[in-house]
Amino acid sequence: MRRTRLLVVAVIMIGSALACVIAACSAPAQPVRAPVPAAEPGQDQVSRGRQLYGSGCAGCHGQRAEGTGQAPALVGVGGADIDYMIASGRMPLTSPNARPERRPPSYGSRDRAALVAYISSLGAGGPEIPQLPPGDARSGRDLYLTNCAACHGSGGAGGTLPGGQVAPRILGVPGQQVAEAIRVGPGLMPPFGSSTLTDQQAADIVAYVGAMPDSAEHGGWDLGGLGPAAEGLIGWGLGLGTLLVVIRLLGKKAPK
Amino acid sequence: MILPRLVGRKVGEEIDGRLRLAKVARHSVAKVFPDHWSFMLGELALYSFTILVGTGLFLTMFFDGSSAERAYDGSYGPLHGAQTSAAYASTVEISFDVRAGLLVRQVHHWAALLFLAAIMVHLCRNFFTGSFRRPRDVNWLVGVTLLIMATANGFLGYSLPDDLLSGTGLRIISGGLLSIPVIGSWLTFLLFGGPFPGTALEQRMYATHVLIVPAAIAVLISIHVVIILRQKHTQFAGRGRNQTNVVGSRVWPTYAFRSLSLFCAALAVCAALGGLVQINPVWIWGPFHADAVTSPAQPDWYIGWVEGALRLFPPWEFRVFGYLVPAPFWPAIVLPVLTFLIMYCYPWLERRFTGDRAEHHILQRVRDVPGRVAVGVWAIAFLIMLEIGGATDLIARFSRQPVIGVVWFLRIGVLVLPVLAGMIALWVTRRLRASHAPHLADLPVAGLRRRPSRVRKGSSDDIARFGPGVADHAEVDAEDAPDPDRVAGP
Amino acid sequence: MRIRTRGAPLRRDLPRRPQRCAAAGFGLTVLGGIAFGVGYVVDASTQVLGIALSVAFAGLTIGFAAWVALLPEGPFVEEREQMTSSAADRAALADDLGQADGGIVSAPLPRRMLTLALTVLGLAALLPVRSLLGTGLKPGRSQRETNWAVDVPVVKEDGTFIRPDELELGAAVTVFPQDRKRGDDEAVLLLRVDPAHLQLPAQRADWTVNGIIGYSKICTHAGCPVGLYAQGAGELLCPCHQSVFDIYRGAEPRYGPAARPLPQLPLGTDDQGRLVARGPLSGPPGPGWWRRS
């Protein structure tokens, strides 16, 4: 009777632990988005972009992308920045106070190109969408560890920045967005221009980031790439926890 | 079926003909061990150590403990052709190109985490039941030394692959050693063979991790076990149990089989973790460079308390006769030294407080020693708060709070919460004792409101506060005396 | 002497279920062992090998645990003596030690000389520990000095020079002196910021070039590289213990356990427009030690 009770307790504990893990890993509910207006016939790219900008961006960024109190100016930030923000789903924000975070993108690739074309037509300046040659993951590994690992982690799991900010997880991010982020330096990230990292070097880093998922779980469940802190919790919880249950079942209780 | 028994008998006869073992063997086989489940925690630590040695033997055949540079030519693509230390290259080769190599490596590391966890839980069991009292205070000293050796060897072990994450930890240790007044620089340069990182470190760590410390641990474990055999194991009070006997099951076959089952369970858990859960993926961390770093950066959990102290301790530096005493000195040197010093001295500190110098073979129940429980719970809560403090950046990331807010919360928490926990433990233990409830779960609500009564036995106020085990004075009834036919010989 | 195996006669009334459980457990071990063997031969993944081995050992666990149910329960009792020897035994030992040699062992002259001899030899034998220091650098000057000096060019990791206009606003790059030591405490972070935000100490105000500042990358707390640069906020975060340095105010520690600012590197340009150092770092890099300065 006692042993059955112990087994039930053990099963409940392991079950709730698994439930917590699954809950933590599952994506939060997606907020409802405003529908994208349909394209008009005979539109060219820039006017499609103007139409989309007017419905989706002008409210915060101003009618001529000149910026408002709520959002910065987009004139002259460069095509790479716009493309990155839209492709990664960070923009448009779901609410004015939301934090820009990776989400499923609101616009398809054609609409995105239209927006880039429109905003670029307002003024030139920042880096354009990078066209990088094929890269070599071996050189990229070295460059990544020197320039990127401090904030994004050796395994691309992301890192903590001051002020409650986060360097996001980059494992699994599409190569084009990695390349754009390198050149743009979005948010708190410093930009790496062509003189700091040549096109080939940036391409190498993109190749390495693309190759990371192949070996990210070579040894099994990677615990989110969090390292020894997570390993210690698993060691105590699953390791010692299981063995404590075994010990309790094998040994006797205190004598009366 | 008959052949092994015949062979066994023949071998036994030959050995006995040379060593005269029959009587000793009879004596050993008939030894009685009390079989409370919490007494198996020490065995768990022993079996984890055995797993470490076994897997370590395999690893040492493939690992190259040298900092000499060479090109990696294994099958992990992104590293191909890179110039790294032989230690790092051989570790990645074990992980990708040695068949079953990664399994053995991961089992080795998981077993190390388990080893330290088992030692700590075993230590807590001994602490709370008062088994460190005379005559076992000397075994307590051996045990604390084992804890220190195990911690050191774990740290050396995960630093051996010369990867970016563990190298950062070595840098922190060197910063801590440097902060020691007067001798710090010399000690650091002596151990590292020069400024950090140097080229001598890898070899020295390898020899220490593989030979010196395991040999010391093996010797200390032997002493630990011999003392237990000589003094016989303690036991909880109960019917038929007193200061002059041991009641339990015999070493052969019952206790041995139970213990074997635990050994196999430990192996099963380590094998499962080693196969299914990735640990220390050094090919991801990358080779160590002193100007590169990865985040998050945590050490293995058993060093986490020092890491937490380093993160939480304020930036207090001062000068003595114009010489700098840097900030890491207090959390990285003074805290661990004080901790282990107090742990070593604890049996004598408590003895001084309680005045109890008698020999004890009966364990105390937790409720009998509220003062010690309060101290123990304070210590455990303090340790846990420091461990949490070692992960401030992770807490900040997942709670979306600024790191400095988390740090301040924990700075206050580490001072306040353990004291609170100790006080609650003291209160609960006293209520438990006063109510005579058999289990904490059976403690009636009414009992919680009752004020604690004075302990009915005990001569001085001090002993009453800490309470000798009431069962120390338990008598053995004639009807409860054990069956004389079952008494094992002396 | 012949050892007689006197086993108990086989009992026919042994409980069946524990026997079957034990057998089932060991059967599981057989399966797990075969799976591990096959897995090894076909070079199966770590996960498969681990599961197979785990199942094998779990089978042994169950088998032995079930078998225990068949074994004599007890409880058995063994007598225990007090741990102090009897007075008679102690006296006899004292006698043996004291009298057996006729008093020669306790003779003062050889005893005292032995003490002196062992002390001197022991101290002498400790001296080779100093060999651990090696023939290389000693503490003191080597901790203070780096290869940063006047007119030493600033180079990136791959050895290329840097011109001020190559670094854009907000960028960060790790640089070294042209002839770098193996020790690597010379790593410096070059940051380009808006000069209007700078509030450096007066004597270091001209240590920048067009808003490019250089700070030692090695944290003054415990020595980790301060690699996290929060570009907009003007802060450097060390990942090890979360010290935050304010780059506009000479890398003064703002939060966290670091107590001293990161040393700054005086920057200038040479006649070819490349960035060079104009002197050593403003202080010794890395963690502190017992020193006067």
Side-chain angles (χ1 to χ4, degrees):
Chain A
M1 188 56 199
R2 279 260 160 78
R3 295 196 174 186
T4 320
R5 193 161 66 180
L6 192 57
L7 277 170
V8 167
V9 166
V11 165
I12 289 174
M13 273 172 48
I14 295 175
S16 34
L18 278 173
C20 287
V21 167
I22 291 171
C25 292
S26 50
Q30 295 302 322
V32 177
R33 291 178 187 281
V36 176
E40 291 155 16
Q43 247 185 349
D44 71 343
Q45 208 181 35
V46 174
S47 43
R48 173 65 175 155
R50 183 184 303 120
Q51 177 197 17
L52 291 168
Y53 182 85
S55 71
C57 321
C60 294
H61 286 283
Q63 286 303 324
R64 303 285 301 162
E66 75 278 16
T68 64
Q70 281 186 315
L74 295 180
V75 182
V77 296
D81 199 350
I82 310 293
D83 192 64
Y84 171 76
M85 286 296 176
I86 297 175
S88 65
R90 286 179 165 79
M91 291 290 153
L93 291 175
T94 49
S95 72
N97 297 323
R99 211 187 274 260
E101 271 176 356
R102 175 169 295 277
R103 289 188 185 85
S106 299
Y107 301 104
S109 53
R110 264 212 277 183
D111 285 345
R112 190 170 77 232
L115 276 165
V116 169
Y118 169 66
I119 296 174
S120 303
S121 74
L122 295 173
E128 293 308 312
I129 296 176
Q131 306 296 331
L132 297 178
D136 172 21
R138 294 178 298 174
S139 325
R141 186 194 54 81
D142 220 4
L143 290 161
Y144 179 86
L145 289 175
T146 306
N147 293 292
C148 321
C151 293
H152 289 284
S154 290
T160 309
L161 295 173
Q165 303 288 332
V166 163
R169 182 180 172 87
I170 59 172
L171 193 65
V173 167
Q176 185 64 27
Q177 291 173 35
V178 175
E180 286 162 356
I182 289 174
R183 289 290 182 238
V184 169
L188 287 177
M189 175 174 169
F192 294 87
S194 323
S195 16
T196 313
L197 285 175
T198 63
D199 275 356
Q200 185 58 57
Q201 288 177 319
D204 292 341
I205 293 179
V206 168
Y208 178 63
V209 173
M212 270 189 204
D214 294 336
S215 61
E217 298 203 297
H218 174 63
W221 179 27
D222 71 343
L223 302 175
L226 294 177
E231 291 161 7
L233 284 173
I234 294 286
W236 271 90
L238 287 184
L240 190 70
T242 312
L243 286 168
L244 280 176
V245 171
V246 169
I247 284 177
R248 194 71 169 75
L249 291 170
L250 280 175
K252 295 206 166 79
K253 294 187 66 180
K256 295 281 178 290
Chain B
M1 287 302 167
I2 310 279
L3 189 59
R5 190 180 288 200
L6 282 176
V7 167
R9 199 200 306 184
K10 183 72 178 155
V11 166
E13 283 176 14
E14 293 302 314
I15 294 178
D16 180 70
R18 286 155 179 78
L19 293 172
R20 199 175 70 234
L21 286 178
K23 200 163 179 188
V24 169
R26 277 196 72 203
H27 183 82
S28 313
V29 149
K31 271 190 106 53
V32 170
F33 268 88
D35 38 28
H36 190 258
W37 59 269
S38 69
F39 300 162
M40 300 183 86
L41 292 166
E43 287 163 43
L44 183 59
L46 172 66
Y47 294 140
S48 310
F49 180 66
T50 311
I51 298 172
L52 282 169
V53 170
T55 49
L57 280 172
F58 180 90
L59 291 173
T60 205
M61 295 293 133
F62 300 96
F63 180 72
D64 188 351
S66 152
S67 54
E69 294 237 321
R70 70 165 166 93
Y72 171 80
D73 56 359
S75 64
Y76 177 56
L79 196 63
H80 200 82
Q83 285 284 109
T84 65
S85 63
Y88 184 76
S90 61
T91 309
V92 180
E93 277 159 14
I94 290 174
S95 306
F96 281 83
D97 299 308
V98 172
R99 214 180 270 199
L102 185 60
L103 177 68
V104 174
R105 233 199 95 217
Q106 297 200 148
V107 170
H108 190 76
H109 201 143
W110 282 114
L113 299 191
L114 190 64
F115 183 38
L116 266 299
I119 290 179
M120 292 224 184
V121 182
H122 173 65
L123 185 152
C124 289
R125 197 283 292 167
N126 280 284
F127 179 81
F128 287 112
T129 55
S131 71
F132 57 82
R133 295 173 298 163
R134 189 179 164 160
R136 291 171 183 80
D137 36 19
V138 86
N139 221 7
W140 170 266
L141 296 178
V142 175
V144 175
T145 312
L146 277 168
L147 173 62
I148 298 174
M149 302 262 104
T151 306
N153 222 31
F155 175 77
L156 289 170
Y158 75 75
S159 304
L160 278 178
D162 193 27
D163 59 279
L164 192 55
L165 184 60
S166 65
T168 308
L170 278 171
R171 183 81 219 229
I172 297 172
I173 291 292
S174 108
L177 287 172
L178 274 174
S179 73
I180 299 175
V182 183
I183 59 168
S185 301
W186 283 94
L187 188 61
T188 315
F189 272 58
L190 206 66
L191 287 174
F192 286 67
F196 184 86
T199 48
L201 184 64
E202 180 65 37
Q203 199 173 345
R204 292 179 187 184
M205 287 199 300
Y206 188 46
T208 312
H209 176 79
V210 163
L211 177 63
I212 301 175
V213 179
I217 291 181
V219 165
L220 286 171
I221 289 180
S222 310
I223 296 176
H224 204 64
V225 170
V226 161
I227 293 178
I228 297 173
L229 290 175
R230 180 100 183 111
Q231 297 176 332
K232 299 189 174 45
H233 204 280
T234 49
Q235 60 190 350
F236 283 105
R239 212 139 49 113
R241 291 159 168 87
N242 56 40
Q243 278 272 100
T244 56
N245 68 13
V246 192
V247 178
S249 47
R250 280 192 170 135
V251 164
W252 182 264
T254 314
Y255 205 78
F257 272 55
R258 206 181 283 138
S259 206
L260 266 176
S261 181
L262 177 62
F263 188 16
C264 296
L267 280 162
V269 165
C270 286
L273 285 173
L276 295 174
V277 189
Q278 188 168 270
I279 185 168
N280 202 23
V282 295
W283 61 92
I284 294 178
W285 304 145
F288 176 71
H289 291 298
D291 55 276
V293 72
T294 178
S295 97
Q298 266 86 22
D300 271 9
W301 75 266
Y302 42 87
I303 311 280
W305 55 289
V306 180
E307 171 76 5
L310 275 165
R311 290 184 186 210
L312 297 180
F313 198 80
W316 291 340
E317 289 192 343
F318 54 87
R319 291 186 178 266
V320 174
F321 308 120
Y323 285 92
L324 178 68
V325 178
F329 177 59
W330 308 100
I333 304 293
V334 171
L335 175 71
V337 166
L338 259 181
T339 303
F340 288 120
L341 208 59
I342 293 175
M343 280 174 69
Y344 271 123
C345 296
Y346 189 82
W348 290 273
L349 288 173
E350 192 182 278
R351 190 187 296 183
R352 204 174 173 76
F353 203 73
T354 60
D356 179 11
R357 284 180 171 71
E359 202 173 283
H360 292 285
H361 299 288
I362 297 280
L363 293 172
Q364 295 168 306
R365 296 181 75 187
V366 163
R367 66 187 61 195
D368 297 327
V369 282
R372 187 196 301 151
V373 168
V375 168
V377 167
W378 173 87
I380 293 174
F382 188 65
L383 178 77
I384 292 177
M385 291 304 294
L386 284 181
E387 293 271 346
I388 295 174
T392 46
D393 54 343
L394 292 173
I395 297 172
R397 195 206 307 196
F398 289 113
S399 65
R400 297 305 195 130
Q401 295 300 314
V403 174
I404 191 59
V406 175
V407 169
W408 268 109
F409 176 78
L410 287 171
R411 272 176 180 167
I412 297 172
V414 82
L415 295 174
V416 166
L417 291 176
V419 174
L420 256 166
M423 282 165 52
I424 293 174
L426 182 68
W427 182 78
V428 168
T429 320
R430 282 193 176 148
R431 289 288 184 282
L432 200 58
R433 182 171 63 181
S435 73
H436 308 299
H439 268 300
L440 187 60
D442 300 329
L443 192 63
V445 176
L448 287 173
R449 295 208 204 99
R450 224 192 298 157
R451 292 221 304 268
S453 57
R454 300 293 284 168
V455 177
R456 56 181 189 278
K457 290 195 184 163
S459 38
S460 77
D461 278 350
D462 282 343
I463 293 180
R465 242 202 309 275
F466 270 76
V470 172
D472 264 349
H473 311 290
E475 312 266 304
V476 179
D477 266 350
E479 293 110 56
D480 295 340
D483 186 350
D485 293 334
R486 281 168 147 200
V487 171
Chain C
M1 180 174 108
R2 248 178 99 81
I3 296 178
R4 205 178 296 277
T5 3
R6 212 183 338 116
L10 186 65
R11 289 167 54 190
R12 305 249 168 249
D13 59 342
L14 283 174
R16 286 262 180 88
R17 213 167 126 229
Q19 283 195 66
R20 290 206 180 119
C21 265
F26 295 139
L28 204 60
T29 304
V30 170
L31 291 174
I34 293 174
F36 180 77
V38 167
Y40 181 88
V41 167
V42 305
D43 201 7
S45 71
T46 307
Q47 286 75 59
V48 169
L49 291 176
I51 294 176
L53 209 56
S54 182
V55 163
F57 284 124
L60 284 176
T61 308
I62 295 168
F64 282 122
W67 213 344
V68 169
L70 294 172
L71 296 172
E73 255 291 291
F76 295 94
V77 182
E78 194 179 342
E79 293 306 307
R80 190 204 293 268
E81 296 168 13
Q82 218 202 6
M83 286 319 294
T84 315
S85 305
S86 68
D89 280 339
R90 283 186 174 181
L93 179 63
D95 275 343
D96 283 346
L97 287 175
Q99 305 297 348
D101 63 324
I104 294 296
V105 172
S106 34
L109 180 60
R111 207 160 35 96
R112 286 176 187 157
M113 274 310 289
L114 178 63
T115 311
L116 180 63
L118 288 178
T119 309
V120 170
L121 183 59
L123 287 172
L126 281 178
L127 284 175
V129 169
R130 199 197 172 281
S131 303
L132 287 173
L133 207 51
T135 52
L137 301 163
K138 310 289 178 290
R141 249 181 58 188
S142 65
Q143 291 172 282
R144 254 174 235 293
E145 290 178 353
T146 63
N147 275 359
W148 289 113
V150 179
D151 289 335
V152 168
V154 171
V155 298
K156 291 194 283 193
E157 174 105 35
D158 53 6
T160 56
F161 297 103
I162 305 181
R163 290 169 197 289
D165 51 1
E166 287 173 354
L167 216 55
E168 58 206 80
L169 194 60
V173 125
T174 305
V175 296
F176 303 89
Q178 194 178 28
D179 298 313
R180 85 193 235 203
K181 292 193 298 193
R182 211 41 210 132
D184 290 317
D185 272 7
E186 309 170 313
V188 157
L189 255 185
L190 277 188
L191 311 163
R192 184 176 208 145
V193 298
D194 184 353
H197 292 149
L198 284 173
Q199 293 174 43
L200 295 169
Q203 67 269 31
R204 295 198 242 142
D206 59 346
W207 284 23
T208 66
V209 174
N210 296 351
I212 301 179
I213 354 170
Y215 291 114
S216 166
K217 197 176 179 184
I218 311 298
C219 187
T220 51
H221 179 236
C224 296
V226 185
L228 285 92
Y229 176 41
Q231 174 235 125
E235 287 176 340
L236 279 171
L237 174 70
C238 182
C240 287
H241 308 112
Q242 280 71 51
S243 296
V244 173
F245 299 92
D246 183 345
I247 62 169
Y248 297 134
R249 284 178 184 73
E252 277 288 325
R254 200 187 264 171
Y255 314 118
R260 278 163 291 110
L262 300 173
Q264 188 175 351
L265 183 70
L267 293 169
T269 48
D270 64 1
D271 50 7
Q272 292 169 46
R274 306 180 301 198
L275 272 176
V276 296
R278 286 196 295 113
L281 289 165
S282 64
W289 69 91
W290 181 259
R291 62 175 196 242
R292 269 201 177 273
S293 66

